Amino acid sequence: MDSQTAVGTQTAPDAPTAGKLKPNSLGVLGILFFVLSAQAPLTGVAGAVPIAVAIGNGAGAPAAYVAAGVITLLFSVGFVAMGRHVVDAGAFYTYIGKGLGRPLGTGSAGIALFAYCAIQAAMYGLYGATVSGLFAHYTGADVPWWLCALVTMAIVQVLGSAGIEMGAKVLAVFVLAEFSILSVFALVTLFKGGGPEGLGLAQSFSPSEALQGAPGVALMFAVASMVGFEATAIYGEEAREPRKTVPRATYLAVAFVTGFFGFASWMLISSYGASKAPAAAGKALESGDSTGFVFAPIADLFGTWVNDVLPILLATSLFAGILAFHNSANRYLFSLSRDGLLPGRLSSINRRHSPGVAGWVQTAIAVLLVIPFALAGKDPVLTLFSWGSGVAVLGIMLLYLLTSLSVIVFFRRERLDTRPWNTLIAPAVGALGIAGAIWLIVENFTTLIGGERSTAVWLEITVPAVLVLGIVAARLTRDRVAG
């Protein structure tokens, strides 16, 4: 790492000699594909938009995506400012540790690992169910969802070990495919002048419409759809000119995702008509297949062949997200090991300059998270997917809040960047928005996970519990080093 472009990582005195990730491997587009894959756009649109429309603020749901994008953009300003001075694969862990202290930084690393592994396991649940359904539809074979998930874990492990460039190329294909069909649908609908009630611009974006119904629920799902963009900083060590590449990739990711979700949800609502869309979304939810709200108007526009293609694209969307979170999680394990907080073997790299051992450990964690649901015979969508994605969103939003506070403290103390907007105003306003989003998530957590209140409470408790365990582990490590 160039000492002139980044503050050094938090290396413990007894940290093992660690390998280095392959530098100059990713440009802006490469990082962008990893970020967009983590956000699984087709999964986000097909899964979140129908709920936001049906039980949120109806036709005003697109405005919730714009509001979530503004909050995320404000957070990104401080996030990028910190990234210019701290380049490390640990990202959140390192950022929070620099401003708020090593113990809290280590606790946040625990949350990051927990969240990334949980959301990856969640995706395995939905992916396994989707692929199992595809086998049944095309071959008549009854393939268990968990078998589809386990086979895919092996494929993800191979791709993760093959080097960051290979992963970026694979993801580029999948991301472009899912973005293309949704974008073409939205653009054709726009140029046609919308659906039976026109474009419905005012019905989707005016303040009165945005605040109708339960806007907090819509905002919660919109914020959840944004999760994953922060991975830009994780690839800083492997980026070309990270001081330029990471900021550009971050801002591009936030702008692109905000525009995409806002535009796609607007055109979906327009295709039904603003007055009819909430009822159509509610009917899709009652049928047990919310994707019907999204797939039906696309099939009406392009033909019934879309009904065969979209489920496949949903599977590839989930696969791309799984691979992206695999890479994020194993780089956290790598960074923590390099800093002496986990066994030294985890910081070893393979011949492709990828975190070899950390990748195997991350795959093992995925197996351990998925197998209990298979053995218990649980529905992978209603339990594994819903629970895992719920706790992951809550955990990552807490990391956003801690990072914003850390940015403010860090730059008040170090004075490496004295721009008020970048290091104080935007992070502070962003922190307020994120705190509000966390409150909405906690208040509506039962809706987010689609389960019972008692289950929601237990899942909520896991996030602060992991934070406390990480802080305790950091203090024990410090005492051991001091002794």
Side-chain angles (χ1 to χ4, degrees), residues 275-356:
S275 66
K276 299 176 182 177
K283 185 177 180 180
L285 292 182
E286 290 174 6
S287 72
D289 183 14
S290 63
T291 62
F293 176 74
V294 177
F295 291 178
I298 298 177
D300 288 342
L301 185 62
F302 296 131
T304 56
W305 62 269
V306 169
N307 291 322
D308 292 322
V309 173
L310 285 173
I312 296 173
L313 288 179
L314 179 60
T316 58
S317 171
L318 288 162
F319 178 85
I322 287 167
L323 178 57
F325 281 113
H326 171 82
N327 282 305
S328 296
N330 68 30
R331 277 155 179 77
Y332 261 96
L333 290 168
F334 170 86
S335 181
L336 288 169
S337 171
R338 188 170 58 183
D339 288 355
L341 294 168
L342 288 177
R345 285 278 295 164
L346 290 172
S347 62
S348 63
I349 56 173
N350 61 23
R351 288 177 296 178
R352 300 277 187 174
H353 289 270
S354 293

Side-chain angles (χ1 to χ4, degrees), residues 221-475:
F221 280 99
V223 168
S225 300
M226 299 286 177
V227 166
F229 84 93
E230 74 287 340
T232 53
I234 294 175
Y235 300 106
E237 289 188 49
E238 298 160 278
R240 292 189 289 271
E241 297 185 89
R243 287 182 57 142
K244 296 180 180 179
T245 303
V246 171
R248 290 172 183 170
T250 301
Y251 287 133
L252 271 174
V254 173
F256 190 86
V257 170
T258 300
F260 174 80
F261 277 108
F263 182 46
S265 59
W266 173 31
M267 287 300 100
L268 279 169
I269 290 168
S270 176
S271 68
Y272 284 97
S275 66
K276 299 176 182 177
K283 185 177 180 180
L285 292 182
E286 290 174 6
S287 72
D289 183 14
S290 63
T291 62
F293 176 74
V294 177
F295 291 178
I298 298 177
D300 288 342
L301 185 62
F302 296 131
T304 56
W305 62 269
V306 169
N307 291 322
D308 292 322
V309 173
L310 285 173
I312 296 173
L313 288 179
L314 179 60
T316 58
S317 171
L318 288 162
F319 178 85
I322 287 167
L323 178 57
F325 281 113
H326 171 82
N327 282 305
S328 296
N330 68 30
R331 277 155 179 77
Y332 261 96
L333 290 168
F334 170 86
S335 181
L336 288 169
S337 171
R338 188 170 58 183
D339 288 355
L341 294 168
L342 288 177
R345 285 278 295 164
L346 290 172
S347 62
S348 63
I349 56 173
N350 61 23
R351 288 177 296 178
R352 300 277 187 174
H353 289 270
S354 293
V357 177
W360 282 106
V361 170
Q362 200 287 315
T363 298
I365 292 172
V367 173
L368 292 174
L369 289 174
V370 168
I371 287 298
F373 288 86
L375 294 176
K378 296 291 186 180
D379 186 295
V381 179
L382 298 180
T383 58
L384 181 55
F385 176 71
S386 298
W387 298 358
S389 55
V391 295
V393 169
L394 180 58
I396 292 176
M397 291 306 295
L398 179 57
L399 293 176
Y400 288 177
L401 178 61
L402 292 174
T403 300
S404 292
L405 297 176
S406 181
V407 167
I408 295 170
V409 173
F410 176 77
F411 285 112
R412 301 285 73 72
R413 184 178 64 236
E414 300 295 334
R415 311 303 295 176
L416 294 171
D417 188 334
T418 57
R419 295 173 295 173
W421 170 254
N422 298 72
T423 63
L424 178 60
I425 300 173
V429 177
L432 290 174
I434 292 166
I438 292 174
W439 179 79
L440 289 173
I441 290 171
V442 172
E443 283 291 302
N444 298 282
F445 202 70
T446 304
T447 301
L448 182 60
I449 67 167
E452 299 178 353
R453 182 58 191 165
S454 58
T455 302
V457 170
W458 281 109
L459 290 173
E460 287 173 324
I461 291 173
T462 60
V463 175
V466 170
L467 177 64
V468 171
L469 287 174
I471 292 172
V472 171
R475 293 194 180 281

